[in-house]
Amino acid sequence: MGKCLRYVTANTDTEEQSFPVPKAFNTHVEELNLDALIQMADNLRMNESTKMESFELLCDHKEKFRDEIEFIWRFARAYGDMYELSTNAQEKKHYANIGKTLGEKAITRAPMNGYCHLWYAVLCGYVSEFEGLQNKINYGYRFKEHLDKAIEFLPEEPFLYYLKGRYCYTVSKLSWIEKKMAATLFGKIPSSTVQEALQNFLKVEELHPGFSKSNYMFLAKCCIDLDQTDDAVKFCNLAVLLPCVTKEDKDAQKEVKKISTSLKR
């Protein structure tokens, strides 16, 4: 089926620009109540091939439900999905910025809702990809702050510990000069260890065995850094057993192959 282009207006509190979005479905806008809309959007999002349709469904109902908190954080999440699906840098920046604006609206209106903090943190991470070092560091602190809040409200959500593990792993690898610059700019040095990262990735596996290829890949990396070679091999083998569905899965698969090759030397 040929794709046509539809212009989706962001229509957030701070941005009204339009941006072309590939339209793969000639969907008829149905009048849905909020519960039915949420269920449909969540179901569509479970399949990588229909994430865009989930986003478009929410776009079609943004005027009706723009003040409903369960809609707002899902709309922010959908912009994050579009960021992940897009391969164009300008599009990615566009989706990240609008998503972050929606995330800010969500945490302001529902400061006790863990999902609002989760997706605001994720969108801050996406926005930081287009910033200079000072703003990157600033967004890093913001990401960590709201991730910790999300964990406080959603202690059984495995995705949060995966994100925390990635944060800890990244911070553990910062150079001395990067840490020094963070301390100069913000008066504190970000600190974490590979061991802390490992504990978070293990928590993911405890809550949801076989959560993702990426989680096994990071488990393997942590084990290599900690000289736990047998465990690294085990996690690589477990990663290979999971299917490749998303781009992240495919990237993790490539990394796992590299790790496995290095372990055989």
Side-chain angles (χ1 to χ4, degrees):
M1 183 195 302
K3 290 185 179 180
C4 62
L5 287 176
R6 179 178 79 164
Y7 282 80
V8 174
T9 304
N11 206 17
T12 65
D13 292 340
T14 61
E15 187 162 354
E16 293 287 342
Q17 86 181 84
S18 294
F19 205 83
V21 173
K23 173 75 173 169
F25 305 92
N26 294 315
T27 49
H28 173 69
V29 179
E30 298 177 54
E31 278 300 313
L32 299 171
N33 64 36
L34 183 60
D35 288 342
L37 174 67
I38 284 170
Q39 185 175 354
M40 189 178 293
D42 287 353
N43 287 342
L44 285 168
R45 188 179 178 271
M46 290 173 71
N47 190 322
E48 194 72 6
S49 65
T50 52
K51 277 187 176 179
M52 187 185 292
E53 192 177 355
S54 179
F55 169 72
E56 290 169 342
L57 180 68
L58 294 173
C59 284
D60 288 336
H61 291 81
K62 66 180 180 291
E63 294 302 327
K64 185 176 181 181
F65 298 118
R66 61 185 300 168
D67 293 323
E68 297 286 347
I69 198 63
E70 290 299 313
F71 177 86
I72 298 168
W73 72 253
R74 282 176 172 83
F75 204 19
R77 179 183 69 179
Y79 271 99
D81 291 340
M82 294 303 292
Y83 169 94
E84 288 287 352
L85 290 170
S86 177
T87 55
N88 177 282
Q90 278 305 107
E91 282 185 15
K92 289 175 92 71
K93 185 175 181 180
H94 172 85
Y95 291 132
N97 282 324
I98 296 176
K100 183 180 75 71
T101 298
L102 286 164
E104 285 169 348
K105 182 178 177 180
I107 60 171
T108 300
R109 296 193 178 195
M112 306 291 281
N113 186 312
Y115 291 107
C116 295
H117 289 285
L118 161 57
W119 293 106
Y120 178 62
V122 169
L123 269 300
C124 283
Y126 290 158
V127 169
S128 75
E129 293 297 314
F130 302 96
E131 299 290 340
L133 182 59
Q134 181 170 342
N135 281 341
K136 264 192 199 308
I137 294 169
N138 190 15
Y139 275 119
Y141 283 125
R142 209 181 297 183
F143 174 88
K144 172 70 162 46
E145 175 192 351
H146 289 279
L147 191 60
D148 285 344
K149 285 182 180 177
I151 289 172
E152 180 185 340
F153 296 126
L154 301 167
E156 301 300 310
E157 173 55 61
F159 184 47
L160 290 169
Y161 297 98
Y162 170 70
L163 293 174
K164 181 79 173 284
R166 289 192 62 161
Y167 172 85
C168 293
Y169 190 81
T170 300
V171 169
S172 76
K173 299 294 182 181
L174 288 178
S175 66
W176 176 84
I177 193 71
E178 288 171 320
K179 290 181 179 179
K180 183 73 174 173
M181 187 164 287
T184 302
L185 291 170
F186 299 102
K188 52 186 175 181
I189 299 175
S191 66
S192 192
T193 63
V194 174
Q195 184 64 46
E196 190 178 351
L198 177 65
Q199 292 308 311
N200 279 285
F201 293 129
L202 287 171
K203 179 72 173 177
V204 176
E205 182 67 2
E206 174 193 324
L207 291 170
H208 185 159
F211 178 76
S212 70
K213 274 186 184 288
S214 293
N215 196 61
Y216 282 139
M217 181 264 288
F218 277 109
L219 278 165
K221 282 189 166 192
C222 289
C223 288
I224 288 171
D225 289 347
L226 297 168
D227 293 323
Q228 299 171 8
T229 307
D230 289 346
D231 284 337
V233 171
K234 177 184 78 174
F235 290 127
C236 283
N237 291 338
L238 286 168
V240 171
L241 295 175
L242 293 180
C244 268
V245 179
T246 65
K247 181 182 179 297
E248 187 178 29
D249 290 336
K250 290 167 186 171
D251 291 343
Q253 181 85 338
K254 290 176 187 173
E255 192 64 29
V256 166
K257 284 182 180 177
K258 289 181 188 174
I259 295 169
S260 296
T261 301
S262 70
L263 288 170
K264 289 173 183 173
R265 286 175 187 162

